[in-house]
Amino acid sequence: MNIRSVGYNSVYPSGYSMRSEGQEGVYMLLLTKSRARLVIGAEKVPAAARTLIIYDGSCAMGYAADGAPMICDWICIDAGDDREFIDETFCFYIKLWADLIVNLTDDAELLKTCYEEKFFGYVRNMIDVYEVATAQNIIESFWDKVEEVAGEENIPYAYFAGEFSNVMDERGEYEEAKFWAEFRYEKYSKLLGKKNPKTVDALITLSFLWKKFGEFGISEELCEELLESTKEVFGENSPETFFVMENLAEIFDSYGQYEQALELEEKVLKFRREHFGEENYITVCSMGDMAGILKGLNRLDEALTLQEKVMNYFKENYGENHKSTIKAMLNLANTFRKMGRYDEALTLQEKNLNLSKETFGEKHPLTITIMFNLSNILSDLGRDEESLKLTEQAFNLSKEVLGKGHIDTMKAMFTLADRLQKVGHHQEAAALWEEFIAMIFVPDEGGDIRAYIDSKFDATDEDDLYGAWEVLNPMIHLAKALIDAGEKDEALSWADHALTLGEKIFPVLIADKGEVYTGMDFTGMNFKKNLSELRAWHELFLKKFNGENPEDFDKTTAEVLKLIRHALTYTRYEEAED
């Protein structure tokens, strides 16, 4: 970034005029200290003293004296490709504009309309470049003003509650996000009715948040209700209905219900091809979604064909440095990996990481995601030390950028502990597993889950049941890491409590779900086999504890960990969404 020129208390005579065509990357900040006329588009607009304007290089810039000498301060900056400066200047300007609007009106409906028409896209762009704090500040300024002038029992207040929920979701503060999303849905239901399009849309958003809390049954029940409501409100063949259908396909996809997802996504893609054409952004996005579902069904050649088409479309129309292109490259590399084409996956993912760093910087969530995916490929290739180093770097960045409790950081912690254990850093792995367990299941026994299992754990309580399912896998990991580290007594304690936990939860799951369950939350889980494998593992663990060296201990541990899958919420950080 270079400062081209600066003016302080500059005085220009009456009749003075300056105009310059915009230049990419060049910014001018101008503060008037007297009356002036500012160039805005093709017009010269009167401006009072103490007016601040920022010209961003995409338009003509200039000013003129307005019937008297003009006094002003100004600075002209060449930002070039300095994304940080450009993003910060953009955010400052939008925040300034938002504050002006909020201070000029006392009409709640007008505030909502103005935000939707003028600021919604800008705020979403801020979130996209991870200026979440500024986005939150703008939303809260509108929201607070609506509350001040109209109270809470109105549509604008509920609308901004929903926008605030979106920001909290982005920050990983899901409890807060869920609270305000539920608030918006309840207010819309009351004030607009359940069949109103806005109410239906609010319910769709809420269903995704419920999913993050493991409230799978709610989302499952909502699926048909949502689709039928949308058809009734918008019509059978409306774009809105197919938008909802696509969201429901994504819900099914995320639960591993790939056949149901495919059935819906095929209808969405067919509709968009017919109405928007093959070479259309929204159609291509549907192709990407379809590819992800096909990949889940292990139809990898079909998925690859679509993903290559998606990547080429974004590259040709938006360039390599566009977010959609980078995400398309990420997904294509992951498919190469799943096909066992590791060298191609590695080449593409390394290129993608450089592009993301160049475009968004090292501390952007997408860059961090690519780092994790690259570390997975390195691990597949047996380059364990390189994989560990990159995983650790990405985990630390995720903690810094997203926060320690963010779901993506938790996934990263799980992966890092796994990789530390793989390369023989058992003490470090054990410490990380123990920290991980404490973060996902914090009982009221001083943070000690083992004491809670002994005294208060109730497998018939839904919260306890889901919490146990999430924590059982890392408990087994922890027991193995500890015994490999030579901490035999502590290892035995965790192994015993893992078995105790399994003995408590599996009979309940068998009774409630059946021997093999194919619902959304435990798809394909064979609970009787889970329990017998856990018991077999514990027997081998006792042999190892007593100084024996059972040859099949590591193999049995791997098998039981595979069978007792870690809960969906915290599975290994794998892929970005298409």
Side-chain angles (χ1 to χ4, degrees):
M1 180 185 74
N2 298 309
I3 297 176
R4 286 191 170 187
S5 50
V6 176
Y8 177 71
N9 277 341
S10 300
V11 181
Y12 301 98
S14 176
Y16 173 83
S17 178
M18 187 285 289
R19 179 185 174 93
S20 173
E21 293 305 314
Q23 184 178 342
E24 191 68 30
V26 175
Y27 289 74
M28 185 171 75
L29 285 70
L30 174 73
L31 174 66
T32 66
K33 294 184 172 179
S34 65
R35 285 186 310 154
R37 300 181 74 82
L38 303 177
V39 173
I40 299 178
E43 304 293 326
K44 287 184 180 178
V45 179
R50 309 303 296 175
T51 296
L52 175 67
I53 187 168
I54 303 172
Y55 291 105
D56 69 359
S58 65
C59 59
M61 56 182 72
Y63 47 88
D66 189 20
M70 174 186 171
I71 306 171
C72 64
D73 297 339
W74 53 272
I75 181 169
C76 187
I77 298 169
D78 186 351
D81 294 326
D82 187 344
R83 291 298 314 172
E84 186 174 349
F85 172 81
I86 293 169
D87 291 340
E88 286 179 1
T89 304
F90 162 79
C91 291
F92 172 76
Y93 174 66
I94 299 301
K95 178 66 175 67
L96 202 65
W97 185 22
D99 288 343
L100 179 65
I101 296 296
V102 167
N103 289 324
L104 284 176
T105 181
D106 288 332
D107 187 316
E109 283 293 343
L110 183 59
L111 284 164
K112 174 178 173 290
T113 301
C114 184
Y115 177 87
E116 286 180 303
E117 293 181 356
K118 304 296 184 184
F119 291 93
F120 178 82
Y122 291 130
V123 170
R124 288 302 166 93
N125 189 58
M126 286 176 186
I127 292 173
D128 205 37
V129 300
Y130 225 66
E131 288 290 342
V132 183
T134 308
Q136 180 178 338
N137 195 295
I138 290 171
I139 290 166
E140 286 178 334
S141 66
F142 278 87
W143 196 19
D144 290 344
K145 185 62 178 285
V146 167
E147 182 181 18
E148 177 188 327
V149 300
E152 297 183 6
E153 293 295 318
N154 55 78
I155 294 302
Y157 187 88
Y159 171 81
F160 286 113
E163 288 299 292
F164 181 74
S165 170
N166 293 336
V167 173
M168 292 297 101
D169 186 17
E170 188 68 32
R171 283 184 175 276
E173 297 180 23
Y174 299 121
E175 287 282 2
E176 190 84 355
K178 179 185 169 189
F179 176 86
W180 289 111
E182 288 176 339
F183 177 91
R184 175 176 64 169
Y185 174 63
E186 290 166 4
K187 291 297 179 187
Y188 278 7
S189 297
K190 177 181 176 182
L191 298 171
L192 298 173
K194 289 197 172 184
K195 298 298 183 181
N196 186 278
K198 293 183 186 299
T199 310
V200 174
D201 183 64
L203 189 55
I204 295 165
T205 302
L206 184 53
S207 72
F208 281 99
L209 282 168
W210 277 331
K211 178 173 69 69
K212 289 179 180 178
F213 281 85
E215 296 176 13
F216 303 104
I218 299 175
S219 286
E220 186 176 8
E221 292 165 6
L222 280 174
C223 286
E224 288 303 320
E225 179 188 337
L226 280 170
L227 190 54
E228 291 309 311
S229 295
T230 310
K231 286 178 181 177
E232 183 178 336
V233 171
F234 296 104
E236 185 85 22
N237 292 312
S238 67
E240 290 84 359
T241 294
F242 285 95
F243 172 75
V244 173
M245 199 177 287
E246 183 174 50
N247 283 334
L248 298 182
E250 186 178 338
I251 291 175
F252 282 127
D253 184 20
S254 68
Y255 288 136
Q257 302 278 87
Y258 299 120
E259 292 292 350
Q260 293 94 322
L262 182 64
E263 182 182 350
L264 290 171
E265 195 61 50
E266 283 177 336
K267 293 177 182 178
V268 173
L269 185 54
K270 182 175 183 290
F271 174 84
R272 287 178 175 169
R273 278 173 167 158
E274 290 174 354
H275 287 78
F276 305 114
E278 187 82 8
E279 295 293 317
N280 178 275
Y281 179 88
I282 194 169
T283 306
V284 173
C285 287
S286 291
M287 288 181 195
D289 293 337
M290 175 70 82
I293 296 167
L294 290 169
K295 184 177 167 187
L297 288 165
N298 216 33
R299 291 163 58 175
L300 300 180
D301 289 332
E302 295 170 80
L304 185 69
T305 299
L306 279 175
Q307 286 178 331
E308 287 177 332
K309 187 168 185 176
V310 169
M311 185 189 72
N312 290 332
Y313 171 85
F314 286 127
K315 190 182 291 186
E316 290 168 10
N317 290 277
Y318 299 95
E320 279 195 330
N321 291 83
H322 192 272
K323 186 175 184 179
S324 296
T325 308
I326 292 171
K327 290 179 81 172
M329 290 172 70
L330 169 61
N331 290 317
L332 179 59
N334 283 327
T335 300
F336 280 139
R337 178 188 173 223
K338 191 167 184 180
M339 296 173 84
R341 294 163 62 173
Y342 299 119
D343 290 336
E344 291 167 275
L346 180 67
T347 300
L348 187 59
Q349 208 68 289
E350 285 178 333
K351 178 182 179 181
N352 205 25
L353 180 57
N354 290 331
L355 283 171
S356 191
K357 284 180 177 178
E358 177 186 319
T359 306
F360 304 112
E362 188 176 61
K363 295 182 179 181
H364 192 278
L366 182 55
T367 305
I368 298 169
T369 299
I370 295 168
M371 281 185 189
F372 276 114
N373 283 270
L374 180 55
S375 77
N376 290 338
I377 298 168
L378 291 168
S379 179
D380 293 332
L381 289 167
R383 293 160 61 174
D384 293 332
E385 290 295 341
E386 293 173 81
S387 174
L388 175 61
K389 183 178 179 181
L390 192 58
T391 304
E392 196 161 16
Q393 180 187 358
F395 170 60
N396 289 330
L397 283 169
S398 190
K399 272 199 300 186
E400 179 184 348
V401 174
L402 301 173
K404 190 174 179 180
H406 193 282
I407 187 170
D408 291 344
T409 308
M410 294 293 292
K411 291 173 181 177
M413 185 185 293
F414 188 96
T415 304
L416 179 58
D418 194 25
R419 298 232 159 105
L420 285 165
Q421 195 162 330
K422 185 178 180 182
V423 299
H425 297 181
H426 303 304
Q427 290 278 10
E428 294 173 69
L432 209 55
W433 286 125
E434 194 157 3
E435 182 182 357
F436 182 89
I437 290 165
M439 289 182 71
I440 62 173
F441 197 120
V442 183
D444 44 351
E445 302 289 326
D448 189 344
I449 187 176
R450 290 172 291 179
Y452 186 76
I453 291 168
D454 291 338
S455 61
K456 293 185 180 179
F457 181 82
D458 179 7
T460 62
D461 178 85
E462 189 171 295
D463 289 338
D464 273 6
L465 183 64
Y466 276 103
W469 186 255
E470 289 189 342
V471 86
L472 184 55
N473 182 297
M475 283 176 71
I476 295 168
H477 270 294
L478 175 57
K480 184 178 187 305
L482 286 167
I483 202 162
D484 288 341
E487 298 185 27
K488 294 177 64 176
D489 291 340
E490 189 72 0
L492 180 62
S493 173
W494 282 104
D496 286 346
H497 281 87
L499 179 61
T500 301
L501 197 59
E503 295 280 10
K504 288 186 175 185
I505 67 171
F506 284 123
V508 173
L509 289 168
I510 291 167
D512 184 36
K513 311 294 186 184
E515 182 177 339
V516 178
Y517 185 57
T518 56
M520 285 184 171
D521 44 359
F522 294 114
T523 302
M525 290 283 95
N526 188 325
F527 298 128
K528 283 189 176 179
K529 190 173 183 181
N530 289 158
L531 185 52
S532 66
E533 285 286 341
L534 181 60
R535 288 168 176 163
W537 170 81
H538 189 264
E539 287 177 13
L540 290 174
F541 190 94
L542 290 176
K543 288 182 180 180
K544 194 171 179 71
F545 177 81
N546 290 321
E548 300 178 43
N549 188 25
E551 292 181 2
D552 49 353
F553 176 69
D554 288 347
K555 181 182 176 183
T556 303
T557 302
E559 287 175 353
V560 77
L561 286 170
K562 185 177 179 181
L563 281 168
I564 303 172
R565 277 207 313 262
H566 194 40
L568 290 173
T569 313
Y570 298 109
T571 45
R572 176 176 293 181
Y573 200 108
E574 187 68 19
E575 297 180 23
E577 296 176 359
D578 289 302

